[in-house]
Amino acid sequence: MSSSGFDVERSDALRLVPHGFFGAGAQAHQFGYGGPGEVATVAALRASAADHVRTGARVVTPHQTHSTIVLPVAEPWDDTATGRPEGDALVTDQPGIAIGVVTADCAPVLFADAHAGVVGAAHAGWRGAMGGILSNTIAAMESLGADRSRMVAAIGPTIAQASYEVDAPFREHFTPGDDAHFAPAAEREGKARWHFDLPGYIAAQLERAALRSVHDLARDTFAESARYHSYRRASQAGLPNYGRQISLIASP
């Protein structure tokens, strides 16, 4: 917990750039406009988190739709509950902007080429990761002058393999080449089950992209209930809504 009251974690791989993975923590912070709480309260919290990452930075996030769309940010747009551009990743080389994504089991992935001053933030669930959101983010950063041989990435709080039970229809989306990311789970209702390693699946894609460094914070959003929001945990408890954490990064 930082002196600001935020529960924020940083990756050593991104030590050269301002960034932070913000959890709920003891203050029960909730950063998503679709989650519980008043819009004005969420907006103020997001703005404060951006300022915590880099003093005076404006928060910029997309309206996330589990797509593979990457949005370059040359100028900040208003951080409103509605009307933000749709996409699931942002890239920028502009100082004074804290780009970010909100998550609640999916992976927040922050990227940086500190030498070029180019950063990226991606929301990667299994569909987005399979569809190419990560490679698209890398390509968009390269279009701004980044070089993947200098690029580092950090995978923030994500549902871990032990917490992510899936069924046969889910596994059918994947190829035999992805078998390493599935571990057997106990049968339920007479049907085969597996545990899926989402952060491992993402890390493998990033490593194949030949980035200089990939770091997984290895935080489990489902299991670490005192620290993180989780869509799956809320769903299993029958809750009508769920919170989100935010992950932010700014150009150095």
Side-chain angles (χ1 to χ4, degrees):
M1 186 73 69
S2 71
S3 58
S4 68
F6 283 124
D7 181 359
V8 59
E9 189 164 5
R10 294 179 174 83
S11 167
D12 188 59
L14 296 169
R15 64 188 179 279
L16 299 180
V17 298
H19 73 284
F21 297 95
F22 291 75
Q27 303 298 322
H29 288 149
Q30 197 291 109
F31 296 92
Y33 284 125
E38 298 293 328
V39 167
T41 301
V42 174
L45 189 65
R46 289 156 66 105
S48 182
D51 186 69
H52 183 73
V53 165
R54 181 170 182 152
T55 302
R58 289 186 59 181
V59 60
V60 175
T61 69
H63 175 68
Q64 296 168 202
T65 60
H66 293 275
S67 70
T68 59
I69 298 170
V70 182
L71 301 168
V73 182
E75 297 287 342
W77 52 74
D78 291 337
D79 186 46
T80 52
T82 60
R84 287 170 290 132
E86 291 188 3
D88 283 84
L90 303 174
V91 298
T92 193
D93 60 356
Q94 298 300 305
I97 300 173
I99 58 173
V101 293
V102 295
T103 56
D105 284 339
C106 292
V109 185
L110 301 181
F111 299 80
D113 176 349
H115 177 80
V118 180
V119 295
H123 159 245
W126 72 267
R127 288 186 186 277
M130 179 179 287
I133 190 65
L134 302 170
S135 58
N136 290 354
T137 303
I138 294 166
M141 290 178 65
E142 289 177 322
S143 73
L144 294 178
D147 186 321
R148 68 180 64 202
S149 69
R150 298 189 302 254
M151 204 178 295
V152 298
I155 304 167
T158 307
I159 189 168
Q161 183 170 22
S163 302
Y164 197 174
E165 182 183 304
V166 300
D167 58 12
F170 177 95
R171 186 165 184 176
E172 288 169 2
H173 291 288
F174 296 80
T175 70
D178 299 317
D179 285 352
H181 304 298
F182 290 87
E187 283 191 5
R188 218 159 32 86
E189 300 171 351
K191 297 180 180 179
R193 303 279 174 164
W194 295 267
H195 288 126
F196 177 59
D197 184 4
L198 177 58
Y201 179 67
I202 289 169
Q205 288 196 5
L206 296 173
E207 288 161 2
R208 285 196 297 271
L211 303 191
R212 183 169 68 84
S213 175
V214 177
H215 176 221
D216 179 7
L217 266 64
R219 294 291 189 182
D220 184 353
T221 51
F222 182 91
E224 297 183 61
S225 58
R227 189 169 193 183
Y228 301 115
H229 301 290
S230 165
Y231 166 76
R232 176 165 287 216
R233 191 174 64 241
S235 296
Q236 290 184 359
L239 300 179
N241 206 341
Y242 60 98
R244 282 83 160 170
Q245 37 269 349
I246 198 168
S247 301
L248 297 166
I249 191 166
S251 178

